[in-house]
Amino acid sequence: MWHILGAGSLGTLWATRLARAGVPVQLILRDQQRLLSYRQAGGLTLIENGQAQRYAIAAHTADHAQPIQRLLLACKAYDAAAAVAQLAPRLTRGADIVLLQNGLGSQDEVARAAPLARCIFASSTEGAFRQADFEVVFAGHGHTWLGDPLDLHPPAWLADLRAAGIAHEWSLDILSRLWRKLALNCAINPLTVLHDCRNGGLSEHPVQVASLSGELVELLQRCGHSAAAANLHDEVMRVILATAANYSSMHQDVSQGRRTEIAYLLGYACNAAQRQHLQLPHINALHDQLQAHLDARGLPRH
């Protein structure tokens, strides 16, 4: 049985595909009001290749009594630890928690909140967006890497992902992948917010992008992730071009007046540099500018 907390784009994408494959799934929703809205919607809707299919997946709230053996945590990074702490009494000994959060830092917070669980880190390139509440469009088939830095043995339930058609790979160096993704996000997302542009707009700011990429390479190397630093600037430029028409997730958050995951992206990078006694003037300046930008809009700065 899979329990899924977070009925956003990726949570819905996993829930519907697992359900479609006949794998037992339960949604965990925020409160009774959210549960009522879900029941009124009649389930989760997945739109793939223009075809809509609704799945009436069972759902309950966090205070339900059902034990949890396998939890997919698909909420925002800043909500992850509190969500797991609330569910901790329901976790069976040796439960697995799959973490689909952006950035770094929330993984350690979750591990502290659920010390008896196995935390499996995930990094996904799948494309999906919410068209309406409980309704998700599958925009692009990507790949998901999963791994556990403390236990390199893959779990047996990866067979569920194969059955559901969720393209995945068990990674023996998942931290390197997460650091690489963090660096890409730090080089792109904050600049799209400050320049108020789509990803492609960063092509007009090549010096700024190159300066940030250079400092991020220094940080990755100092933190022991040289493989994640290889050809970083080239990949940043490739992502900018490949996703030129898209607005970054951070830009979307700011434009819609939502809290950002700055603390788990740029904030994490700045703190890591500080711990390493590494001077990264461009990254620190960008962090300060972004915090001021968020302050001006009445949004949390962390």
Side-chain angles (χ1 to χ4, degrees):
M1 166 72 76
W2 284 80
H3 285 83
I4 296 182
L5 188 146
S9 53
L10 281 181
T12 299
L13 203 51
W14 278 56
T16 51
R17 287 183 294 174
L18 285 166
R20 182 169 66 190
V23 177
V25 179
Q26 286 264 357
L27 291 182
I28 302 174
L29 298 172
R30 189 169 50 242
D31 50 34
Q32 286 297 331
Q33 182 56 51
R34 189 83 176 132
L35 186 57
L36 182 63
S37 300
Y38 174 71
R39 286 178 177 155
Q40 287 170 343
L44 295 178
T45 299
L46 177 66
I47 301 167
E48 191 174 4
N49 302 321
Q51 301 294 311
Q53 181 72 46
R54 184 180 294 155
Y55 298 88
I57 295 166
H60 55 241
T61 54
D63 55 7
H64 195 278
Q66 189 181 55
I68 297 172
Q69 173 62 39
R70 191 170 307 125
L71 174 66
L72 177 71
L73 201 59
C75 56
K76 291 285 193 178
Y78 48 73
D79 287 331
V84 166
Q86 192 180 6
L87 295 172
R90 295 176 54 189
L91 294 172
T92 62
R93 179 172 286 275
D96 290 332
I97 305 176
V98 181
L99 304 173
L100 266 178
Q101 282 61 51
N102 273 333
L104 284 163
S106 63
Q107 296 86 353
D108 294 332
E109 293 171 358
V110 168
R112 285 193 292 272
L116 300 181
R118 182 186 188 188
C119 290
I120 291 176
F121 304 169
S123 178
S124 178
T125 59
E126 297 220 279
F129 61 90
R130 286 167 70 176
Q131 185 160 283
D133 224 8
F134 305 117
E135 194 171 291
V136 161
V137 177
F138 194 2
H141 287 266
H143 204 84
T144 301
W145 288 267
L146 304 108
D148 177 359
L150 303 179
D151 181 355
L152 300 181
H153 294 93
W157 50 254
L158 291 179
D160 289 349
L161 306 192
R162 280 192 291 277
I166 297 171
H168 67 280
E169 182 181 321
W170 183 254
S171 172
L172 298 181
D173 190 9
I174 191 66
L175 281 177
S176 186
R177 289 208 168 270
L178 291 173
W179 271 99
R180 177 74 163 196
K181 192 171 182 188
L182 175 103
L184 289 168
N185 282 332
C186 285
I188 295 171
N189 291 16
L191 288 180
T192 64
V193 172
L194 294 177
H195 293 298
D196 190 17
C197 65
R198 297 174 194 264
N199 292 355
L202 297 185
S203 301
E204 296 171 27
H205 305 279
V207 175
Q208 209 172 8
V209 172
S211 301
L212 283 176
S213 299
E215 289 189 354
L216 287 162
V217 164
E218 283 184 67
L219 177 63
L220 292 176
Q221 289 173 337
R222 183 70 71 90
C223 291
H225 295 286
S226 296
N231 304 312
L232 179 67
H233 180 243
D234 289 346
E235 188 168 358
V236 168
M237 295 310 297
R238 207 160 42 243
V239 170
I240 286 170
L241 289 173
T243 63
N246 299 357
Y247 283 107
S248 73
S249 56
M250 189 178 281
H251 186 284
Q252 291 175 52
D253 286 340
V254 172
S255 65
Q256 292 168 34
R258 293 192 303 247
R259 182 179 176 184
T260 69
E261 293 176 297
I262 178 176
Y264 300 92
L265 297 168
L266 211 48
Y268 189 89
C270 289
N271 290 337
Q274 207 170 6
R275 286 195 300 272
Q276 298 290 338
H277 307 292
L278 189 60
Q279 297 297 314
L280 301 176
H282 291 97
I283 288 175
N284 286 323
L286 181 64
H287 189 230
D288 291 344
Q289 288 165 1
L290 186 56
Q291 286 187 319
H293 187 87
L294 295 174
D295 285 345
R297 278 150 185 77
L299 293 173
R301 52 170 30 222
H302 50 69

